[in-house]
Amino acid sequence: MLTGAAVKITDFMERHGAFEADDKEIYFFGTQQGLIYVLNLATLIFVGIISGAFWQMLFFALAFIPLRSFAGGYHTSTQLKCYMSSTAMAVIVALATRLVVMNSLLISVMLLMFTAVIMFMSPVGNRNKPLDDLEVKVYRKKARIICVVEFLMAVMFLFIGVSSITTGIFWAFAVMVLLLVLEKLFGGKT
C-alpha cells in the first residue's frame, strides 16, 4: 500500500543528495510509514467532515494517536487490513459521537473505568512489535502520563461544557481499551 509513491519519493530524495545510498532502505521505510500515517489521518478527518463530527474526530485523533503510540494493542497483519479497519473504526466512532447520548455522570464513570484499564494493561506489544523489558518500562510510564493528562482534560472540558473535546477523548479511550483487550485475547491468531 503506497509502495510506488514511497519508491518515487525516496528515489527523488536520493537523486538530490538527501541521504547516502546505504541509508536508502531506512528512508524508504520512513517515507512509506509517513504516507500511511497521512492517509489514515486524512481519512479520519474526511469521515469527520462528511459525518458532521469534524471537531469530535479531530479531538479523537489528537487523543488517540499519542496514546496508541505508547499503549500498543491489536494490529492487523497487513497495511491494507489496517487501513480498512481504521476506516471502519473512524466511521463507527463518527456515528457514535453523533448518535450516542450520555449524561455527565455516566461519561465520567466510563472515562474513569477506561483510564483504569489503560493504566493497568499498557503497554501491550504484539507479534509485529514485541516489547523488551526496557520498552515495557518506558512505554508504560509514557502511556500512563498521556492517559492521566487526557483524562483530566476530558473531565475538565466536560464540566465547562466543551463536549466536542470530551467526546473525542472518550471515544479515543473506548477504542484504546478495545484494542488492548483484543490483542490480549486474540493477538498472534490472525
Side-chain angles (χ1 to χ4, degrees):
M1 191 167 143
L2 301 175
T3 302
V7 166
K8 288 178 183 175
I9 292 169
T10 307
D11 287 346
F12 176 83
M13 291 189 317
E14 182 182 27
R15 281 194 309 274
H16 288 84
F19 56 84
E20 299 294 321
D22 293 346
D23 295 331
K24 186 173 185 173
E25 190 174 319
I26 295 167
Y27 279 84
F28 169 75
F29 178 77
T31 301
Q32 187 176 34
Q33 293 305 109
L35 290 172
I36 291 167
Y37 177 81
V38 168
L39 177 62
N40 281 321
L41 188 59
T43 301
L44 192 116
I45 290 171
F46 177 74
V47 168
I49 291 169
I50 64 168
S51 67
F54 172 77
W55 292 109
Q56 294 89 336
M57 294 306 289
L58 177 65
F59 292 116
F60 170 86
L62 291 173
F64 183 75
I65 292 168
L67 190 56
R68 172 77 158 148
S69 298
F70 294 105
Y74 183 78
H75 286 274
T76 60
S77 57
T78 69
Q79 291 175 346
L80 181 58
K81 286 180 184 177
C82 177
Y83 178 73
M84 298 305 288
S85 61
S86 295
T87 300
M89 178 262 316
V91 169
I92 291 166
V93 168
L95 291 173
T97 65
R98 306 285 293 160
L99 300 174
V100 176
V101 178
M102 293 181 279
N103 65 38
S104 296
L105 179 61
L106 182 59
I107 290 172
S108 299
V109 169
M110 290 183 72
L111 273 170
L112 190 57
M113 289 177 7
F114 292 156
T115 300
V117 171
I118 294 167
M119 300 270 291
F120 175 74
M121 290 184 75
S122 296
V124 175
N126 62 65
R127 67 175 178 228
N128 296 326
K129 176 74 171 118
L131 303 174
D132 62 35
D133 291 340
L134 179 60
E135 287 174 316
V136 168
K137 184 178 179 180
V138 170
Y139 285 24
R140 176 174 289 130
K141 181 178 181 180
K142 289 183 179 186
R144 287 177 173 177
I145 290 169
I146 292 166
C147 187
V148 168
V149 168
E150 290 180 355
F151 170 78
L152 293 173
M153 288 175 56
V155 171
M156 178 185 74
F157 284 111
L158 176 67
F159 288 106
I160 64 172
V162 185
S163 63
S164 59
I165 295 175
T166 301
T167 301
I169 295 171
F170 176 88
W171 289 109
F173 277 32
V175 171
M176 193 68 249
V177 166
L178 176 65
L179 293 174
L180 292 171
V181 170
L182 284 175
E183 182 61 30
K184 284 290 191 182
L185 294 175
F186 304 110
K189 296 178 183 173
T190 59

